[in-house]
Amino acid sequence: MRACSLGGGFGVGLTVADRTPPPPGFGPPANSPPALAEVLPVYARTAEEKVAELQRVQQLESGLAAYKLELIASFAADRPAQLDRRPGQPGAAAGDDSTPDGVSEFFADELALTLNCARASATTLTEHALTLTGSLRATLEELAQSRLDWPRARTMAEELGEKVGGTHPQVIAAVEAAVLPEAPSLSVRRLKDRLRQELAARDAAASDRAREDAQRAVTVRRRPVGGGVSELIAGMPDELAAACQATIDELAWRAKKAGDDRPIGMLRVGVLADLIQRPWLVPEPVAAHVEVQVPLRALTPGGFLAQGSPLPPAYTRPGSVAGPTGAVAGVPITAAHVRNLLAQFDAIGLQAPPGGSISFSFADDRGALRAVATLRELRQAASRGCPVHRDGACDCAVIDRPEATDAYAPTAAQGRFLTTRDRTCRHPGCSNRAGWADADHVIPYAQGGETDCANLCCLCRRHHRLKTFAPGWTYAMTADGILTVTTPAGVTRTSRPPGLHLTGPRVLTRPPDQPPAAPDPADDPPPF
């Protein structure tokens, strides 16, 4: 039996008996916390030093989280299922699907008392520990080395753990290898989306199983939150939940624009209550929008359009119609391509919802958005053809990214392109809808920044104000929309369009070929 001691500046010593030595790279963090005398007084430190200390604390927390998972997994191995009563024996369990395979049904109870937490929390933590110490060792190592934090490691475990049971271990390993390098730069929500995309691309059946299992478990419940307020929580498929949210938001903003001065959150609650309890008061339905996502490979010889395969089925926004991933980045969208696309589109009979619309978005092999067009614009491009080569086929693009404008305000086409590319506010970690955001010049218009999609991004009003008025913040963006934000203390974070796959380091500390500049109060002054 080996004793591991973790002590230091916390003022306590923690001694744990571990029967199985951890593999290299695991165990208690090598850089134990400093003594309190080394970090105090906090008030005497500069902002940069405080930021450095906060990041060091977070790194220590990541190492401790990995150590805790190793301990839990090893502890679970000490309580095997063989210790339980077997089926048919007196006192045997009727069945408990929440117990991890091979672990005693009572282990979660023991862990819950050990950690002073609920049994459900202990069960979930055990599942995460077994997944990360088993099939996701690379993720655990990143956590142990403080290159990945616990919320993101937990997300990896949740998305690639028990819910994808039946998936071949090599598929899980391939998904982990594809997503793990970029995981630290993704928000938790976008990391979930990325993992699901990769899993669906490699094992569609696993995604279907996980979705079916989750949908069978949905329900509606009420959770008190205090102050005489409760949350009504309804589980439902992603596309249905998003559609319901879009409808509630639209109706709430209609009420706001009509003069109701209550907070928008209260208006949303009122709309939901009316939809459920007094549906006869609901105004005319919200117009739906269908977006068809077309990978450029579909337009090339051998693509699914050229082979005569139909477009996948569509559903109403905020869902999308997605074709197979992968494309050739340099493919122009020619008149012939558009005519072929329209022929396939008409063949499946997809129509715009009543009062709604249809649009098409074209993405290259990395998922970078190349063009957005309405159905009407596609038909016009198909009939008009190339304005230069009138006599036959050519390789000239008839649908492309909106051109830059000399004006300060973006054009309608640019606005449509930006909301399609960005989806949400582009400030790292913000998920406010792009439809409510402002189109902001990354390099300020007053400092020579172009009104071009390569210099525009969606920022919600809060982060637009932060960029404009908060001193010391630096924003920079690459031509394909990867945004880099640097705080006054020098911390750098990036965000990228949701569909864009990371192909290499693209972090900028300032715009290319631009010296650092102080914030310009003339940059997008109110009301923006």
Side-chain angles (χ1 to χ4, degrees), residues 3 35 50 54 74 78 92 121 156 220 236 248 250 255 257 264 279 310 321 343 345 368 385-386 446 453 471 516:
K50 293 170 186 173
L54 285 171
S74 182
D78 296 335
S121 299
M156 297 281 290
V220 178
M236 60 186 72
I248 292 170
E250 176 67 22
K257 293 175 181 178
I264 190 65
V321 183
F345 178 76
C386 175
C453 293

Side-chain angles (χ1 to χ4, degrees), residues 27-208:
N31 50 342
S32 58
L36 291 178
E38 298 178 19
V39 299
L40 294 177
V42 170
Y43 67 83
R45 292 186 173 271
T46 66
E48 290 75 12
E49 290 172 338
K50 293 170 186 173
V51 165
E53 284 297 296
L54 285 171
Q55 291 183 320
R56 190 155 68 97
V57 168
Q58 187 178 45
Q59 292 173 351
L60 290 168
E61 290 174 343
S62 298
L64 284 171
Y67 184 43
K68 181 178 180 179
L69 293 169
E70 286 277 351
L71 289 172
I72 292 172
S74 182
F75 189 19
D78 296 335
R79 303 290 187 265
Q82 288 85 346
L83 301 177
D84 298 339
R85 305 292 291 178
R86 311 305 299 168
Q89 293 180 329
D96 185 3
D97 293 336
S98 65
T99 302
D101 292 339
V103 180
S104 169
E105 63 173 306
F106 301 118
F107 174 72
D109 299 275
E110 184 176 2
L111 183 62
L113 293 187
T114 301
L115 300 180
N116 196 24
C117 66
R119 182 182 184 277
S121 299
T123 299
T124 300
L125 190 56
T126 302
E127 292 172 350
H128 293 163
L130 295 177
T131 297
L132 288 166
T133 58
S135 58
L136 300 181
R137 296 292 296 184
T139 299
L140 182 63
E141 183 174 0
E142 291 298 294
L143 181 67
Q145 299 299 325
S146 301
R147 293 190 289 262
L148 189 71
D149 60 21
W150 169 235
R152 290 170 174 80
R154 180 178 60 213
T155 300
M156 297 281 290
E158 289 172 349
E159 295 300 319
L160 300 179
E162 289 297 323
K163 66 166 62 177
V164 293
T167 299
H168 195 282
Q170 289 183 353
V171 174
I172 298 295
V175 173
E176 181 189 36
V179 178
L180 188 57
E182 59 189 281
S185 66
L186 298 175
S187 68
V188 169
R189 184 176 67 84
R190 288 187 173 172
L191 176 57
K192 287 183 179 180
D193 293 341
R194 185 78 176 88
L195 288 166
R196 291 171 185 176
Q197 291 169 1
E198 286 292 332
L199 184 62
R202 290 172 167 80
D203 188 354
S207 297
D208 291 340

